[in-house]
Amino acid sequence: MQKKEIRSVRILGSGTSTGVPEVGCYCSTCLSTDPADNRTRTSVLLETNEGKKILLDCSPDFRQQAILAEIDELDAIVLSHEHYDHIAGLDDLRTIAWARDLPIYAENRVLEAIRYRLHYYFGKTPYLGTPRLKLREISLAPFEVEGLTFEPIRVFHGRLPITGFRIGDFAFITDLKTIPDEEVEKLRGVDTLLVNGLRFTKPHPTHQTIEEAIALSKEVQARNTFIIHLSHHAPRAVDLAQTLPEGVFASYDGLRLERINGRLEIHNKTNFRASLAPHLPYKFKDCHSIPYAEAYALQKELFQTAIEQKQRGEAPKNTLLFCEHEPVFTLGKHGKESNLLLPEEALHAKGISLHHIDRGGDITYHGPGQITGYPIFDLEQFGMGIKQYIYTLEQCIIDVLRVNGIHGKRLEGATGVWIEPNTPRARKICAIGVHSSRYVTLHGFALNVFTDLSYFSWINPCGFTNKGVTSIAQEMGKPTTMELVKQQVEEAFHRHFFQAYKQKHDKASIEI
């Protein structure tokens, strides 16, 4: 007799209670054009080797999920708890369960919540057309559904006790914040773990972070772990896929696992990570904190390599670097040393260095809390001249400011991005200075995120004596994070430069 087991797992929804994108949000994840960043609320479909279909949680997005997954029948539903984002799709079962019974397994508290919310299903005279839902109470003892043994796992969603499930070599845990030691033991040695991870770093009172999900995965020695219930505060899928350790994956809507050689494996595993990343016309590298001289040397090396490639008739590889420097002043090739208001000896005493460099513009400051971006781009690949390139850099920053509720503008005759530019309160939030040769660019932009603006008092920033400087945090009136703003800037770059690259090459294809 054939052993009954899970044949496939399909993640119908991978998002938290608000979904991604979140209504009214304009962060880089919510604005992402990558389908992997479009997360409906969490539901998971299991299919047994006998073709039986079991739904784990029934989210408010179930109708949409069922249409996309071509679900036209279910054999059972198992629920973790009664929160709206895990049961609200039950009303969409009318077209699936109107002609035959559909059992729903959950703890008594959850079943009572369903009876209350769907009272027109369970009253003495049910409303016409209601599905034939049969509520089956479970305890913390193992129970069977379509030949599969479900072992309940007690976890806590804040203070609310909820239920996860282990089914053989597979486990599903959502909305976990804490888990007792004895329940951890029930998960030990599981092969495939689906577990919630809301975001990185910042703790949440009722959900665990991605780091906590990784720690649990390591503790129970899961071979493969898939993070579910992700929020828009998590990095974009393409970035998240690169930061997770081996054997831990960011789930996405539509992800399928198939049993191959006895184990659940990612369907089309070879292309799993690559499928998350839309083609980029440049390589992105975040250098984090790096000495200015080291970053400048790296730029020059990439720049020179690109020039040599063009001289050989090759298409250079484009690179976008993000850096954060210790305090330093840089003076452009046409800058005036009189705009440095302290003697160099005084700067050195304060641990600040001065670099004379070959970009345009005058003097500026780089330091902690500031994103310095260095695109080493072959502009011919993007169909741009230098003026259009600078305009596009400015537009990227203006877009980032907009999603943070800040109205950035250009100032005629003064490169960069400004706040209230044509008023006595004009202040620069992002400096831009570039150098180019053979249409290959060097240097870039400096965006003040939560920069210590006092350093600018020792210079005439960009040569201006009557204009101020500001930062995103100062304009917002509240803290922000480098991680979030970096995501927003990189997303803006992707949007504008990918579009320019595509238009250039689409046009070339038509001309051919």
Side-chain angles (χ1 to χ4, degrees):
M1 184 176 179
Q2 186 182 29
K3 175 187 175 183
K4 294 180 181 180
E5 61 184 359
I6 297 171
R7 180 171 67 193
S8 69
V9 176
R10 180 162 181 154
I11 298 177
L12 303 176
S14 58
T16 190
S17 59
T18 52
V20 183
E22 188 173 284
V23 174
C25 182
Y26 302 97
C27 73
S28 62
T29 303
C30 289
L31 289 175
S32 172
T33 56
D34 185 348
D37 289 317
N38 193 330
R39 303 183 185 279
T40 57
R41 273 69 70 91
T42 295
S43 287
V44 175
L45 181 69
L46 308 181
E47 186 170 348
T48 74
N49 54 349
E50 294 184 340
K52 300 297 184 180
K53 295 178 181 178
I54 303 168
L55 185 68
L56 304 180
D57 285 351
C58 191
S59 89
D61 302 308
F62 176 73
R63 175 183 171 276
Q64 175 187 352
Q65 295 166 350
I67 291 170
L68 290 173
E70 299 181 344
I71 299 171
D72 54 12
E73 61 179 0
L74 288 172
D75 295 287
I77 298 175
V78 181
L79 300 175
S80 62
H81 64 295
E82 68 271 31
H83 282 174
Y84 184 82
D85 56 313
H86 293 266
I87 68 168
L90 293 175
D91 193 55
D92 292 324
L93 297 170
R94 284 177 286 173
T95 56
I96 291 177
W98 67 274
R100 67 187 182 103
D101 293 349
L102 178 59
I104 297 180
Y105 297 83
E107 292 187 87
N108 182 62
R109 184 192 73 242
V110 180
L111 299 181
E112 287 301 317
I114 292 171
R115 289 189 182 96
Y116 175 76
R117 293 178 184 178
L118 298 177
H119 55 87
Y120 50 95
Y121 282 17
F122 301 104
K124 291 182 179 179
T125 54
Y127 191 77
L128 186 65
T130 56
R132 291 164 52 177
L133 305 182
K134 301 301 177 182
L135 305 184
R136 307 277 175 83
E137 182 180 347
I138 65 171
S139 65
L140 294 182
F143 60 97
E144 282 205 1
V145 179
E146 297 297 339
L148 298 181
T149 299
F150 280 65
E151 182 177 13
I153 310 292
R154 171 62 80 218
V155 300
F156 289 87
H157 181 24
R159 290 183 292 181
L160 179 70
I162 65 173
T163 315
F165 303 98
R166 178 167 182 170
I167 310 109
D169 60 356
F170 170 83
F172 169 78
I173 310 283
T174 186
D175 287 39
L176 159 67
K177 176 58 180 179
T178 58
I179 178 171
D181 291 343
E182 61 271 20
E183 302 301 303
V184 172
E185 289 304 314
K186 295 178 183 178
L187 291 171
R188 196 169 300 281
V190 70
D191 189 71
T192 302
L193 173 65
L194 267 61
V195 66
N196 62 297
L198 194 68
R199 61 195 180 200
F200 275 118
T201 308
K202 186 178 179 181
H204 189 276
T206 60
H207 293 272
Q208 66 178 0
T209 63
I210 295 172
E211 291 97 332
E212 289 169 329
I214 293 170
L216 178 62
S217 169
K218 185 176 180 180
E219 183 175 4
V220 303
Q221 299 177 322
R223 182 176 66 94
N224 282 333
T225 296
F226 298 87
I227 309 296
I228 57 173
H229 219 275
L230 288 153
S231 81
H232 69 140
H233 294 297
R236 292 175 303 132
V238 64
D239 300 318
L240 186 53
Q242 304 304 318
T243 60
L244 295 174
E246 188 70 24
V248 179
F249 305 89
S251 64
Y252 59 89
D253 289 20
L255 173 62
R256 286 175 56 199
L257 308 178
E258 300 280 350
R259 191 167 293 280
I260 301 171
N261 296 326
R263 285 178 155 180
L264 290 168
E265 304 286 3
I266 299 167
H267 184 64
N268 197 15
K269 185 173 182 178
T270 303
N271 296 321
F272 173 68
R273 290 185 186 273
S275 69
L276 292 177
H279 173 68
L280 288 175
Y282 58 83
K283 177 183 178 182
F284 171 67
K285 180 178 181 180
D286 188 347
C287 299
H288 302 286
S289 181
I290 181 174
Y292 181 82
E294 186 178 332
Y296 186 41
L298 176 58
Q299 284 187 76
K300 293 287 282 187
E301 179 183 349
L302 293 168
F303 177 77
Q304 189 58 41
T305 299
I307 294 292
E308 292 170 359
Q309 287 174 321
K310 291 199 77 170
Q311 289 173 333
R312 294 194 299 267
E314 302 171 5
K317 294 180 179 178
N318 303 301
T319 305
L320 173 61
L321 303 175
F322 279 3
C323 303
E324 189 175 1
H325 302 306
E326 291 303 310
V328 61
F329 292 121
T330 63
L331 185 66
K333 59 186 177 182
H334 301 304
K336 298 178 180 178
E337 293 203 15
S338 59
N339 285 318
L340 175 62
L341 305 181
L342 288 177
E344 286 196 46
E345 298 78 19
L347 290 182
H348 293 154
K350 296 177 181 293
I352 305 172
S353 57
L354 174 67
H355 293 261
H356 294 76
I357 55 176
D358 55 351
R359 62 162 170 78
D362 207 286
I363 194 167
T364 195
Y365 165 75
H366 301 309
Q370 181 190 77
I371 300 172
T372 48
Y374 303 122
I376 294 84
F377 285 0
D378 173 19
L379 296 184
E380 289 185 307
Q381 294 184 33
F382 299 91
M384 292 182 181
I386 194 68
K387 288 185 178 179
Q388 180 62 32
Y389 170 65
I390 291 173
Y391 185 93
T392 304
L393 290 182
E394 291 171 335
Q395 192 59 51
C396 287
I397 302 304
I398 289 170
D399 287 357
V400 170
L401 297 178
R402 178 176 60 83
V403 302
N404 286 285
I406 303 169
H407 194 32
K409 292 185 177 182
R410 296 177 179 85
L411 177 60
E412 187 174 353
T415 301
V417 180
W418 298 77
I419 309 299
E420 298 182 302
N422 296 305
T423 73
R425 299 186 66 244
R427 52 206 183 274
K428 181 174 274 192
I429 197 167
C430 180
I432 293 175
V434 301
H435 170 78
S436 69
S437 176
R438 294 179 179 267
Y439 288 96
V440 177
T441 63
L442 187 66
H443 304 295
F445 67 90
L447 174 62
N448 298 327
V449 181
F450 49 83
T451 320
D452 182 349
L453 302 177
S454 66
Y455 284 89
F456 287 96
S457 65
W458 298 334
I459 60 174
N460 291 324
C462 302
F464 290 100
T465 59
N466 61 343
K467 292 179 172 58
V469 290
T470 188
S471 68
I472 290 177
Q474 180 160 299
E475 294 299 318
M476 290 174 63
K478 60 182 180 180
T480 187
T481 67
M482 289 293 281
E483 181 183 76
L484 175 60
V485 180
K486 282 179 181 178
Q487 288 181 33
Q488 293 168 342
V489 175
E490 210 281 302
E491 175 67 25
F493 261 79
H494 174 217
R495 187 164 57 250
H496 286 285
F497 284 94
F498 178 76
Q499 182 181 26
Y501 182 88
K502 187 174 185 298
Q503 287 177 346
K504 163 72 174 177
H505 290 270
D506 285 351
K507 181 180 179 182
S509 298
I510 292 171
E511 290 174 350
I512 290 171

